Amino acid sequence: FRRVLFRSIPGERASSYMITMEDGSREIRRYNWDSGESSAIVVPLEGQQDYAWSPDGRIMMILDGSLYAYEPGASTDWAVVGDLGFPDGSRLAVSPDGRYLAAVGSR
């Protein structure tokens, strides 16, 4: 049994989820609720499990105390967008208006 957590993609009738393939590689994928089709979005940051969508359609992840963003369709890779000030980040959430970020970590 594999737990799959769907996250709504802003502005779409679609959700995203992370999957680990048999060879150990991982992807964040899009599931279109109208067509039932699934497609790859991006490979997540190494060793990270949690991500959040910003209201403007970017995927956010934490790695080594830095906040990274990936913009589907516009980016080719993850970009650092800020330093969170703590080395180990795990859970991440972005407020619906995009003004606030909540992250769980340790000092």
Side-chain angles (χ1 to χ4, degrees), residues 52-55 60 67 84 92-103:
W53 285 91
S54 66
M60 313 297 274
L67 179 65
L84 299 177
L92 179 66
V94 180
S95 66
D97 63 5
R99 292 181 57 202
Y100 301 99
L101 173 78

Side-chain angles (χ1 to χ4, degrees), residues 9 15-16 27-30 39-43 53 59 70 72:
I9 299 175
S15 294
S16 64
E27 288 181 337
I28 296 175
R29 298 185 61 85
R30 168 185 287 110
S39 60
I41 300 173
V42 67
V43 173
W53 285 91
I59 302 172
Y70 176 81

Side-chain angles (χ1 to χ4, degrees), residues 52-101:
W53 285 91
S54 66
D56 63 0
R58 294 183 296 163
I59 302 172
M60 313 297 274
M61 289 189 94
I62 299 171
L63 178 64
D64 296 331
S66 294
L67 179 65
Y68 286 79
Y70 176 81
E71 188 172 352
S75 301
T76 57
D77 204 0
W78 292 92
V80 175
V81 295
D83 180 10
L84 299 177
F86 54 84
D88 300 324
S90 56
R91 296 289 183 192
L92 179 66
V94 180
S95 66
D97 63 5
R99 292 181 57 202
Y100 301 99
L101 173 78

